[in-house]
DNA sequence: ATAGGGTTAG
């Protein structure tokens, strides 16, 4: 008797196939397996959790009269795999054997159906079966149904089940909450969160990840803070979302805090956490710390590698990114379409035209990946950035899909850099067709005309913008000081220290003019992503942020700024000068990449 | 001896 319970214990802990086989052999030779059927059940259950479907099926086939528990275990074993719909046929088998399904059967079947995106009809028929056996209102089944409908985007069906259910627990609320979060309805998600009779850490995580996915990273960090104040325990899953929020915001100190927390609690850096940490450090301007995390990781999947590659590319360290890519290939990891965006981006910033071409070709010839519009975009960027404007234009005209605004924008950046007004005008005309509501495009057109002396056309373009009601995204720069984010929007004077900031800016301007700086208002072309030149150039949001950064941080500390648009050339020039005058490193993340300003120079070599 | 909710890269 004690020996059987000993084996029960052993099996419960065992997930390793080899050990399972050993125990199995032992039980068979000693005849224990036949004495105690429950041991066989335990064995089957452990086999199912060890994810070895073949072995599990073998065990199952040895059972003469499997009961509902054995069938459920088999359904569970299948539900986790790519062929999860096999569990439906096990269900059919069960019915044929004259066995009644129970409340555990349906959640398992529904899980199998959510595994396969196109299995919505099968899931519906499982629902029908649950109704037929009058098990649909059991809380486990009901919760699984809510989850199933919400995953498939049928949120109304999920809500109906939720509203009519007599029996709701935290799990039901969490399912509904994450359903709204998933479709981006954060107002309803927050409402549910507030109304919940009981919350657990999963409720908090669901809310946080919802905010992050909607781009409301500040709210996400706010909720995380509240979570800590209310002493709710958080898991590494929560932290993955939190790190993602830090990455979006460039919340360097808060991100570092999370890393410190992981270290001091000796939490192992999983692939998920590692990816988030690498991305966070890269997007906060600390590529070298990202590299440290990368090098310290035991296990690396494609996402880990491509996040690191993209991180290096963002910082203009194209050669290292490329090395890493070849390393990855050697490690036997097969790149996907997203990984290629990272490497192509790296080629662009390192000016590696031939390498870029080769890699682009290898995409389809070696890996069988059909290039998407983003990949053509990288090629246009690569060529345009290196002066081959015509070739870039030919790519746009011959690629197999419709060009989007981003791809024209890449060509535009080249036109601006190489002062090609004629091609620029052509590009802008295409952009207006594509995005008539984007005010930036009209500003751009107007500037092009102004630059070529066609002042009347320039005025008309401005008027057109006003009559069509197109609006331009306001420039916004943020800076984190002692863990708090400060935002500066162009023309906005609501910051409590705005007076001091403006005084500081005056000081900066005095130093600038001593350096012989004159405000560059004659820039020929204005990039679509740049802030509107009509607003006083001196008030561009990053200038305020830099002034504030100089005011609020001590010497030797790098100033880190995140900007929502591209840096304009005047701000770029000014920032270079400031970095020398004040002997300060300034790191600016703009829409597309990083600029590390140091000693009057920028890491982008003045091309962005 | 069995079930359900939160997870990262463009």
């Amino acid at each position: 008797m004690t020996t059987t319970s000993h084996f029960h214990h052993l099996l419960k802990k065992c997930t390793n196939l080899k050990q399972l086989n050993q125990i199995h052999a032992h039980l068979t030779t000693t005849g224990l397996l036949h004495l105690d059927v429950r041991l066989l059940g335990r064995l089957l259950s452990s086999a199912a959790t060890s994810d070895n479907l073949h072995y599990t099926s073998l065990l199952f086939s040895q059972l003469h009269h499997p009961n509902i528990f054995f069938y459920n275990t088999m359904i569970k074993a299948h539900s986790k795999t790519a062929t999860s719909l096999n569990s439906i046929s096990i269900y059919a088998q069960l019915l044929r054997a004259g066995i009644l399904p129970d409340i555990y059967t349906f959640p398992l079947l529904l899980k199998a159906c959510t595994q396969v995106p196109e299995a919505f009809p099968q899931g519906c028929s499982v629902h029908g079966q649950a109704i037929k056996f009058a098990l649909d209102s059991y809380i486990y089944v009901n919760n699984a149904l809510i989850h199933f409908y919400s995953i498939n985007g049928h949120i109304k069906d999920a809500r109906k089940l939720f509203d009519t259910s007599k029996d709701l627990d935290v799990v039901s609320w969490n399912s509904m909450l994450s359903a709204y979060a998933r479709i981006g309805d954060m107002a309803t998600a927050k409402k549910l969160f507030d109304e919940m009779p009981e919350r657990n850490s999963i409720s908090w995580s669901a809310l946080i990840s919802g905010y992050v996915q909607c781009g409301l990273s500040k709210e996400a960090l706010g909720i995380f803070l509240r979570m800590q104040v209310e002493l709710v325990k958080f898991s590494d899953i929560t932290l993955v979302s939190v790190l993602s929020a830090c990455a979006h915001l460039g919340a360097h100190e808060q991100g570092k805090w999370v890393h410190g927390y992981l270290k001091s609690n000796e939490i192992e850096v999983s692939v998920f956490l590692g990816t988030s940490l690498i991305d966070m450090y890269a997007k906060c301007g600390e590529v070298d710390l990202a590299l440290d995390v990368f090098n310290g990781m035991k296990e690396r999947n494609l996402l880990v590698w491509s996040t690191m590659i993209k991180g290096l590319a963002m910082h203009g360290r194209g050669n290292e990114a490329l090395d890493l890519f070849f390393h990855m290939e050697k490690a036997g990891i097969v790149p996907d379409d997203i990984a290629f965006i990272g490497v192509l981006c790296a080629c662009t910033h390192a000016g590696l035209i031939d390498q870029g071409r080769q890699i682009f070709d290898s995409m389809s010839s070696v890996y069988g990946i059909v290039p998407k519009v983003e990949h053509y975009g990288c090629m246009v960027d690569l060529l345009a950035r290196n002066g081959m404007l015509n070739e870039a234009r030919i790519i746009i005209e011959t690629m197999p899909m419709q060009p989007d605004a981003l791809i024209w924008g890449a060509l535009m950046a080249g036109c601006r850099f190489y002062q090609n007004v004629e091609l620029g005008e052509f590009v802008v005309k295409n952009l207006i067709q594509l995005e008539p509501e984007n005010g930036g495009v009209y500003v751009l057109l107007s500037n092009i005309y102004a630059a070529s002396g066609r002042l009347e056309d320039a005025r008309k373009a401005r008027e057109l913008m006003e009559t069509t009601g197109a609006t331009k995204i306001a420039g916004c720069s943020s800076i984190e000081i002692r863990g708090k984010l400060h935002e500066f929007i162009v023309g906005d004077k609501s910051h409590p220290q705005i007076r001091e900031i403006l005084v500081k800016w005056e000081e900066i301007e005095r130093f600038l003019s001593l350096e012989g700086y004159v405000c560059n208002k004659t820039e020929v072309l204005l990039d679509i992503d740049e802030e509107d030149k009509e607003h006083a150039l001196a008030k561009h949001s990053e200038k305020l942020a830099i002034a504030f950064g100089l005011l609020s941080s001590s010497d030797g500390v790098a100033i880190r700024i995140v900007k929502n648009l591209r840096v304009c050339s005047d701000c770029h020039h000014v920032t270079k000068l400031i970095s020398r005058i004040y002997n300060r490193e300034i790191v600016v993340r703009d829409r597309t990449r990083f600029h590390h300003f140091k000693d009057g120079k920028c890491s982008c070599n003045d091309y962005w």
Side-chain angles (χ1 to χ4, degrees):
Chain A
M1 209 53 222
T2 43
T3 36
T4 38
S5 66
H6 166 71
F7 282 112
H8 265 291
H9 259 89
L10 258 181
L11 284 170
K12 208 165 181 174
K13 281 189 294 184
C14 179
T15 49
N16 168 303
L17 184 66
K18 216 169 142 189
Q19 276 180 312
L20 275 179
N21 275 325
Q22 276 173 0
I23 299 172
H24 188 179
H26 183 79
L27 290 174
T28 318
T29 48
T30 52
L32 275 172
L33 208 54
H34 295 286
L35 275 173
D36 189 351
V37 223
R38 288 174 61 179
L39 266 180
L40 190 57
R42 187 63 258 183
L43 194 62
L44 186 72
S45 178
S46 296
T49 42
S50 80
D51 289 336
N52 194 301
L53 199 55
H54 180 73
Y55 180 57
T56 317
S57 308
L58 196 77
L59 282 172
F60 186 70
S61 66
Q62 289 174 9
L63 295 164
H64 294 299
H65 298 290
N67 61 21
I68 185 62
F69 161 68
F70 293 111
Y71 277 106
N72 284 346
T73 311
M74 272 321 281
I75 291 172
K76 183 183 175 181
H78 277 283
S79 71
K80 289 189 284 187
T81 65
T83 52
S84 62
L85 287 185
N86 279 337
S87 47
I88 301 276
S89 41
I90 297 179
Y91 175 73
Q93 211 178 310
L94 166 167
L95 291 181
R96 260 184 273 124
I99 289 168
L100 287 177
D102 66 5
I103 52 165
Y104 303 118
T105 315
F106 294 108
L108 287 168
L109 287 170
L110 288 165
K111 188 183 177 185
C113 293
T114 49
Q115 205 84 352
V116 187
E118 57 277 5
F120 182 68
Q122 283 91 333
C124 291
S125 73
V126 169
H127 187 183
Q129 288 289 308
I131 294 172
K132 192 178 143 199
F133 286 98
L135 293 170
D136 58 312
S137 57
Y138 272 84
I139 189 157
Y140 299 157
V141 182
N142 191 48
N143 284 345
L145 284 167
I146 293 174
H147 185 233
F148 166 74
Y149 282 111
S150 72
I151 286 281
N152 283 286
H154 292 249
I155 199 156
K156 281 194 183 136
D157 293 307
R159 187 67 199 235
K160 213 157 80 192
L161 290 168
F162 180 79
D163 285 338
T164 53
S165 172
K166 296 264 175 296
D167 212 7
L168 292 174
D169 64 2
V170 213
V171 179
S172 336
W173 282 87
N174 283 347
S175 288
M176 210 58 237
L177 164 59
S178 54
Y180 284 111
R182 207 174 295 117
I183 61 158
D185 183 354
M186 287 315 290
T188 313
K190 182 72 190 343
K191 197 164 167 274
L192 285 180
F193 181 82
D194 291 335
E195 288 168 355
M196 284 172 86
E198 186 196 339
R199 282 187 280 267
N200 60 17
S201 74
I202 291 178
S203 329
W204 291 81
S205 282
L207 190 67
I208 291 175
S209 84
Y211 278 129
V212 175
Q213 250 129 54
C214 295
L216 298 168
S217 299
K218 261 206 302 196
E219 279 78 359
L221 289 186
I223 299 292
F224 182 58
L225 191 72
R226 223 183 104 193
M227 201 174 170
Q228 285 164 271
V229 171
E230 296 185 22
L231 301 173
V232 185
K233 279 215 175 113
F234 47 82
S235 66
D236 52 348
I237 293 178
T238 322
L239 294 179
V240 168
S241 291
V242 170
L243 284 169
S244 170
C246 294
H248 286 141
L249 295 168
H252 179 238
E253 286 172 43
Q254 296 181 64
K256 242 184 157 152
W257 180 88
V258 174
H259 195 193
Y261 174 89
L262 294 176
K263 280 188 205 157
S264 57
N265 288 283
E266 285 169 7
I267 296 171
E268 203 195 84
V269 175
S270 64
V271 231
F272 276 109
L273 271 174
T275 307
S276 315
L277 278 171
I278 292 170
D279 192 44
M280 180 277 292
Y281 275 131
K283 291 198 173 133
C284 288
E286 298 262 33
V287 225
D288 290 314
L289 292 180
L291 276 167
D292 286 346
V293 174
F294 177 81
N295 290 325
M297 283 175 75
K298 275 190 283 186
E299 194 195 334
R300 296 177 197 147
N301 65 8
L302 174 62
L303 269 78
V304 176
W305 284 91
S306 45
T307 306
M308 193 64 246
I309 292 169
K310 187 85 216 294
L312 286 165
M314 247 192 329
H315 287 269
R317 290 163 66 164
N319 283 310
E320 286 167 82
L322 223 56
D323 279 350
L324 216 57
F325 179 74
F326 295 134
H327 236 91
M328 180 181 92
E329 279 186 313
K330 254 189 234 150
I333 291 181
V334 182
D336 67 354
D337 55 335
I338 293 151
F340 273 105
I341 291 174
V343 223
L344 290 173
C345 213
C347 294
T348 303
H349 294 303
L352 304 165
I353 302 168
D354 292 332
Q355 292 267 40
R357 281 207 181 101
Q358 269 174 32
I359 289 174
F360 184 80
D361 291 339
S362 78
M363 234 180 112
S364 41
S365 64
V366 181
Y367 295 102
I369 301 168
V370 181
K372 292 185 186 165
V373 67
E374 295 97 315
H375 300 101
Y376 286 100
C378 290
M379 291 311 284
V380 169
D381 202 9
L382 174 68
L383 296 167
R385 210 173 272 260
N386 291 290
M388 298 144 105
L389 294 178
N390 247 329
E391 215 178 316
R393 177 188 166 165
I394 289 167
I395 289 202
I396 296 184
E397 286 169 345
T398 55
M399 63 184 199
M401 67 281 284
Q402 285 296 312
D404 63 6
L406 280 171
I407 209 165
W408 286 118
L411 184 53
M412 193 59 228
C415 293
R416 188 198 58 175
F417 194 66
Y418 294 100
Q419 308 265 305
N420 192 328
V421 182
E422 212 174 300
L423 187 54
E425 191 184 13
F426 167 76
V427 171
V428 168
K429 281 190 176 152
N430 281 288
L431 274 170
I432 286 190
Q433 274 190 344
L434 231 52
E435 294 190 319
E437 71 290 344
N438 182 352
V441 180
Y442 297 93
V443 176
L444 194 50
L445 182 64
S446 161
N447 282 314
I448 292 175
Y449 286 137
S452 49
R454 292 155 69 177
L455 296 176
E456 184 55 22
D457 287 330
R459 202 183 49 76
K460 276 188 192 153
R462 285 265 168 199
E463 266 175 22
L464 195 63
M465 172 177 164
E466 274 152 38
T467 50
T468 49
T471 48
K472 193 158 183 340
I473 303 165
C476 175
S477 299
S478 60
I479 179 168
E480 191 193 35
I481 299 289
R482 284 177 289 278
K484 191 181 183 314
L485 281 174
H486 298 259
E487 271 184 348
F488 296 91
I489 298 164
V490 63
D492 174 39
K493 297 204 165 126
S494 63
H495 193 275
Q497 283 163 270
I498 190 72
R499 277 165 170 273
E500 292 163 70
I501 294 167
L502 291 174
V503 170
K504 185 73 183 175
W505 183 252
E506 279 169 26
E507 177 201 296
I508 295 170
E509 273 188 326
R510 277 196 301 278
F511 280 122
L512 287 174
S513 54
L514 284 177
E515 292 278 322
Y517 161 79
V518 238
C519 186
N520 172 19
K521 286 189 177 136
T522 54
E523 190 189 0
V524 185
L525 302 176
L526 190 71
D527 193 90
I528 32 166
D529 290 336
E530 282 171 13
E531 291 180 21
D532 192 342
K533 252 214 295 210
E534 286 296 283
H535 287 95
L537 220 43
K539 296 281 196 308
H540 267 183
S541 55
E542 64 260 57
K543 290 178 174 162
L544 293 176
I546 290 172
F548 180 66
L550 285 170
L551 268 179
S552 334
S553 62
S554 39
D555 288 348
V557 180
I559 293 176
R560 294 169 194 283
I561 285 164
V562 176
K563 197 176 172 201
N564 64 340
L565 305 174
R566 287 201 202 191
V567 183
C568 86
S569 62
D570 182 65
C571 286
H572 195 265
H573 183 57
V574 164
T575 312
K576 281 197 290 185
L577 293 175
I578 294 175
S579 75
R580 189 174 65 216
I581 297 166
Y582 287 87
N583 190 24
R584 258 315 173 101
E585 206 181 323
I586 302 173
V587 184
V588 178
R589 180 177 114 190
D590 80 5
R591 251 187 96 118
T592 50
R593 60 164 296 153
F594 269 90
H595 302 264
H596 291 258
F597 297 95
K598 206 180 170 184
D599 302 325
K601 275 183 267 176
C602 178
S603 64
C604 75
N605 290 321
D606 299 340
Y607 189 85
W608 68 94

